[in-house]
Structure formats: structure tokens, C-alpha cells
Amino acid sequence: LAAADPRVLALAARVTESREQDIPLLLLKLKGILNSASLGSEESKKIKQDIYDYDLTQYCMLVLRQDHSQLRGGWATAAQLAEILSHCCVGLEVKEDAEEFYKKFLPSAMDNLLFLGRRLQARFIRTIKDEEKQDFLHWFQTVTDAICWLFGGHIQLAACVLQNDHFLQLLITDDVETAVMMMSVLHNILRVNSSVLLQVDEETLHSVLDELVYKLSSTTNPVIGNAATKLLLLVAKFCKQLVKFLTARYKGLKALLSKQWTGKGFDRDLSQLLDLLYLEQSNGKGEVQRQHQAACIIQAMWRGFQTRKRLKKLPQAVTTLQRSFRAKREQELQHLKKQKEDEALKLQMQLQRQRAMRLFHERQLALLEIIHASQVNKYMEEMEGKSALTIQRFWRGYRARRNFHQQRQFLKEYKAAVVIQRAACKFLEKRRRRRPLSPWKDPKGLTDEQRLALQQKVDDYIKLHPASQMSEEMSKELHMQAQEKLAQFLLRSRLDQRAAQRRETLLAQVNTDVELLMNAPGLAETTEKDLDVFMSRSIPVATKARQSHNAMLKYTHWPWWKKLGDEFVEDDVIPDDALNAELGTLFIGGRK
């Protein structure tokens, strides 16, 4: 065995000892090592074998799965590693574990390359700046070239590429640049392996052809049309049995090609494809086959529509958001409009009340001028009576309506409860009649074993929780103590009550004396009558009685509108706050 290349050996050692984020930049040195030997030479094969033996190709394949936007070197490093991986795999002849290399490693490497291509395509579509878009497009081109180089060196990978989900998702795109690149990849696959479409499953074949036909029907870009037409022509030339399939599945394909794409710059390829399709149509099976082709075209268009429907969800979401925002704004405007109308109505009602009150007062003044002076009091009494009756009538009506509304819900609930109870009673009565009478069964008694076990549990509980016993002498002594404490409490409560009454009496007498002293004249103006006030307890009482009598007379002579409160007040009721000032300090003094 020849010794391994020292450069490969040193690089493998460095990759093993380095950090994960530094590995992509180290693997780029493989490009210089590969370029040092001529392509196809024995030295080149030996270097590729050493790279594979020391798992450097495995590192390259695994690095392609990482998110390179967070790593050093970025996506440019990922594109170069994809190119290095394809060059390492092409021309490599593995003798040991060949099945693992061809059946596992190569399909995994192709899957990682396609996955990297999907990431670059998505970032190219999302990028806005022109410089960044050109960079991503260049890196995407590098990855597609690496894919073509890899399945060109290993023909069996062509079917693997077509059946890969990432390849179909790369092909299904509305972007012109990347779509043209992916169709060129498909063109290279057909050139490398012309019978690959017959080796894949039917679903994959339908998906690829549906996408090509959809691109011809959904766009007017001549670049896309030229690439799709060349692909269909290549399919028709290499796979003669697929011409019949195209004619049967896509009934309107010939009319679409002749009407939409004639005179677009690729008439030669277009005429060859139409000739093949018309030649196959002449060998058709009649109306049934044409109907089947129409159904196939409808299905193809529908599948294409369903595939792109996901891309339109974002604009629909924005439209829904705008619609909800406009509805909410319209609701707020309606609310503000209604609020303004309510305020205008309230202001209008207030103005009408003021105008009515002004007219009423003007009418009253006009009548007072007409009526004789001796009849004014009588007229005012009549008006007060009418006004009081009107207020009472409106109040009673309001109270009756309020009580009715409160009781109506209660009556409704009561009637509903009665109906439910009646239905439940009828249902229970019917069920009781249908149920057959069961013969009487005596309750089961306890067996001897159960009775002994229960008695044992009772005895154990009594032993664990013995009852407290008290003698007759202790009971009598406890009763006497309770009677003594009760008698002491009653005596103490009577003494406290008498002391409280005396305190209240003294406080009332002090309040009366203080008030008399406050209202008393000075010593220079004092007379014998003033001395009698302090010496006799009956004079203050008479004075307070006179003051309360005058306050009650004054209240009875008040106008009727001063006696009205928030609610109607009966004639024989006098407000407390009208007499508090006069009767609050009244106290009939005396001495114990």
C-alpha cells in the first residue's frame, strides 16, 4: 500500500482538532490539493481515495447542511465546498465497502447539494439589493454545476435526482433565473441518461411534465418558453413512448404551443415538437381518448394551481387584516357618529325643557297680572294642588311600570318552572306506570362472621378512645362555679348600665349649661331674669320648646316646591335636618 498524501493527512488532523465553526474554511484547502494533480491521472485518483479514507468528504457533506449565514465565510464557502465535494466523488473508485459508497454516501451527498440549492434559491428570491442577488445567483449556479458534475460522473444518480423532493421544489418556482438553471439541470440529466424518465415512478414523471406544461401555459417569457420547449422535444426524441403520453394527458398542448409561442425565436424546436405531437395524434383512439386528455390537462392545471396556492397565502392574510382594520375603523366611526347624535338630541331636549319652562313662567306672570290681588293666594293654592297631583300621578305611573318590568321576568321564570315541573312529573308518572312491580325482598342481614368482625372494630375503637367520666360531686361543684360567675356578670352589667346612664345625664346637663352660658349676656347687662334662667331648670325647657314650636310653624308656611325632594314626601312628615338645628340641643334637665 502506498503512503497517504501528507497534505491530506495534515489537513485531516487539523480538522479533527479544530472547532466546528472553523472546519468549513479548513476544508477549502482541499481545492488546492485537488488542483495540484491533473484530472483523470493516477495521482488525482490517489488523492481522492485518501480524502475519502480520512472522512474529509464526509465532513464536506455534513457542512453543507449547516446554516452558513452564521458561519465564517458565509454562503460563498458553502458553494465552494459543494464544488469540492462533487470533484472528490467523480473519478473515485472505492473497492472496500463499495455498496455503502454507491448506495448510501452518493445519494446523501446529492440530497445535501439539492438542499443547499433550495436555501440559496430562497435567499435569492427574498433579497432586495441587486449586488446580493447577483452573489446568490452566482453561488446557486456553482451548486447546480456541482450537481450536474456529480450525476455526470455517476449516471445512476440521475434517477435519484429526479425522485428527490428538493429537486421538484427547486423546479417549481416562478423566478425566471433559477427556473432556467433548473431546467438546464433537467436537460443535462436527459442527455446523460436518456431513459431516466422511464426508470422513475409515475408520480415523479407526472410532476415533472406537469410543471413544464404549466410553465408554457402560465408565462409569456421567451426564455422560459424556449427552455421548456427544448425539454419537451428532448423527452419526445429520447423516449418515443412518452409522446403518446404527452398527447393523451395534455390535450390542448398543441394549440397552446402553436398560438402562444409561434414567432418567439425558437420556431425550429417548436415545429419539431409539434410535428411529433401531430404525428402521434393521427394514431389516436378517437373521442374517448380526447376526453381523457382533456381531463388530464385540467388535472395538470389544477395541480399547478394547488402547488402555487401556498405562495398566495401571505397577500391573502394581508387583505384579511386590512379588511378587519377597515371594519373596525368603520365601527368606531359609527360609534362616534351615534355618540354625537345622542349628545345633539340631549342638548335639543334640554333646550326644549328650558323653552317650555320659560313659557310656563311667562304665562304665570301674565295670569298674576290679570287676577285680582285678593284671589292670588287662592289661585296659587289651586295651582299647587294641580302640580302636586300631576307629580304624584307621574311618580305612581313610573313606580308601577318599574315594578311591572321587575315582576315580568319573575313571572316568566315562574311559568317556565311550572311547565318544566309539569312535564317532568308527567314523564316520571309514565315511567312509574311502565316499570313492573318487583316482588318485595327482605334486606340482607349480617352473617355471624360479619357481626363478630363489626363487634371487634367497636371494641377496639372504645379502647383507643375511652370516654371521660365525671363524678356527681365534681358535677355539682362545676355547676355552683358557673352560677356564681353568672351572678357576678349580671351584677356587674347592672352597675355598668347605671354608670353609663349617669354619664349620659351629666353630659346632657353640661351641654345645656354650656349653651346657656354661651348665650348669656355680660355681667354689666345681667338682670334678675337672667339669674332666674340659671337658678330655675324650667325656664330653659320652656325656651327650647318655644324655639322648636317656631321652627315647626316656619316649616308649615314654606312654599310647596321647597318641600319636594328626590322623591315624594307625605304631608305629615317633616325632614329631620329642618329641626335638628332647633331640637338637637334640647334637654330637660333634672337632678338625681
Side-chain angles (χ1 to χ4, degrees), residues 403-413:
N403 294 336
F404 173 74
H405 285 298
Q406 291 177 354
Q407 293 177 2
R408 184 169 61 179
Q409 184 66 22
F410 173 74
L411 291 174
K412 187 184 294 183
E413 294 177 356

Side-chain angles (χ1 to χ4, degrees), residues 124 127-137:
F124 169 74
T127 304
I128 300 175
K129 297 181 179 180
D130 293 337
E131 296 180 358
E132 294 182 1
K133 289 183 75 70
Q134 291 299 324
D135 292 339
F136 277 110
L137 185 62

Side-chain angles (χ1 to χ4, degrees), residues 216-324:
L216 288 172
S217 62
S218 63
T219 182
T220 58
N221 193 325
V223 179
I224 297 290
N226 186 15
T229 303
K230 287 183 178 180
L231 279 174
L232 290 178
L233 179 60
L234 198 62
V235 170
K237 285 183 177 180
F238 289 160
C239 306
K240 297 296 183 181
Q241 53 268 46
L242 290 181
V243 180
K244 183 178 179 181
F245 175 78
L246 289 173
T247 309
R249 186 175 176 84
Y250 310 110
K251 181 179 179 181
L253 180 60
K254 295 180 293 298
L256 175 67
L257 292 173
S258 59
K259 291 180 180 180
Q260 185 171 343
W261 296 107
T262 302
K264 298 292 185 178
F266 49 93
D267 292 341
R268 181 179 178 182
D269 296 335
L270 184 63
S271 60
Q272 292 181 12
L273 179 60
L274 288 174
D275 291 341
L276 292 174
L277 293 177
Y278 279 117
L279 180 63
E280 181 62 30
Q281 186 182 9
S282 61
N283 301 324
K285 295 182 180 180
E287 185 64 24
V288 177
Q289 185 177 2
R290 288 196 296 271
Q291 292 178 358
H292 179 70
Q293 292 172 353
C296 291
I297 291 176
I298 294 172
Q299 291 175 357
M301 299 294 290
W302 174 252
R303 291 190 187 97
F305 169 74
Q306 287 291 337
T307 304
R308 285 158 180 80
K309 190 176 180 180
R310 301 186 189 93
L311 300 177
K312 298 180 181 179
K313 286 186 178 180
L314 183 60
Q316 290 177 359
V318 174
T319 304
T320 304
L321 181 62
Q322 290 176 350
R323 189 185 303 114
S324 61

Side-chain angles (χ1 to χ4, degrees), residues 190-427:
L190 294 175
R191 286 193 175 277
V192 169
N193 189 356
S194 58
S195 62
V196 66
L197 292 177
L198 300 177
Q199 299 174 3
V200 299
D201 56 292
E202 186 177 357
E203 183 179 358
T204 303
L205 177 62
H206 290 178
S207 300
V208 173
L209 295 179
D210 289 346
E211 182 60 27
L212 294 178
V213 174
Y214 178 80
K215 289 184 183 300
L216 288 172
S217 62
S218 63
T219 182
T220 58
N221 193 325
V223 179
I224 297 290
N226 186 15
T229 303
K230 287 183 178 180
L231 279 174
L232 290 178
L233 179 60
L234 198 62
V235 170
K237 285 183 177 180
F238 289 160
C239 306
K240 297 296 183 181
Q241 53 268 46
L242 290 181
V243 180
K244 183 178 179 181
F245 175 78
L246 289 173
T247 309
R249 186 175 176 84
Y250 310 110
K251 181 179 179 181
L253 180 60
K254 295 180 293 298
L256 175 67
L257 292 173
S258 59
K259 291 180 180 180
Q260 185 171 343
W261 296 107
T262 302
K264 298 292 185 178
F266 49 93
D267 292 341
R268 181 179 178 182
D269 296 335
L270 184 63
S271 60
Q272 292 181 12
L273 179 60
L274 288 174
D275 291 341
L276 292 174
L277 293 177
Y278 279 117
L279 180 63
E280 181 62 30
Q281 186 182 9
S282 61
N283 301 324
K285 295 182 180 180
E287 185 64 24
V288 177
Q289 185 177 2
R290 288 196 296 271
Q291 292 178 358
H292 179 70
Q293 292 172 353
C296 291
I297 291 176
I298 294 172
Q299 291 175 357
M301 299 294 290
W302 174 252
R303 291 190 187 97
F305 169 74
Q306 287 291 337
T307 304
R308 285 158 180 80
K309 190 176 180 180
R310 301 186 189 93
L311 300 177
K312 298 180 181 179
K313 286 186 178 180
L314 183 60
Q316 290 177 359
V318 174
T319 304
T320 304
L321 181 62
Q322 290 176 350
R323 189 185 303 114
S324 61
F325 173 75
R326 293 191 188 100
K328 184 176 181 181
R329 184 174 59 183
E330 184 67 23
Q331 186 177 3
E332 291 178 355
L333 292 176
Q334 291 291 340
H335 179 69
L336 291 175
K337 183 179 178 181
K338 184 178 179 182
Q339 188 175 3
K340 290 180 180 179
E341 290 177 355
D342 294 341
E343 291 178 357
L345 180 62
K346 188 183 296 183
L347 181 60
Q348 186 178 1
M349 294 295 294
Q350 186 177 1
L351 292 175
Q352 289 179 359
R353 290 194 194 97
Q354 292 178 358
R355 192 179 298 111
M357 186 64 69
R358 190 183 304 111
L359 292 175
F360 173 74
H361 287 307
E362 290 177 357
R363 195 181 300 112
Q364 290 290 330
L365 292 175
L367 289 174
L368 289 176
E369 291 177 356
I370 296 172
I371 298 175
H372 193 269
S374 61
Q375 300 294 326
V376 171
N377 292 333
K378 183 178 180 181
Y379 174 75
M380 293 299 296
E381 290 177 358
E382 291 178 358
M383 292 300 298
E384 289 177 3
K386 290 181 181 180
S387 301
L389 290 175
T390 302
I391 294 172
Q392 292 176 4
R393 184 171 66 254
F394 276 99
W395 166 251
R396 293 191 186 100
Y398 165 73
R399 185 172 57 185
R401 286 190 297 273
R402 185 182 63 183
N403 294 336
F404 173 74
H405 285 298
Q406 291 177 354
Q407 293 177 2
R408 184 169 61 179
Q409 184 66 22
F410 173 74
L411 291 174
K412 187 184 294 183
E413 294 177 356
Y414 176 76
K415 290 180 181 179
V418 170
V419 171
I420 294 171
Q421 290 175 359
R422 188 185 297 117
C425 292
K426 289 182 180 179
F427 171 75

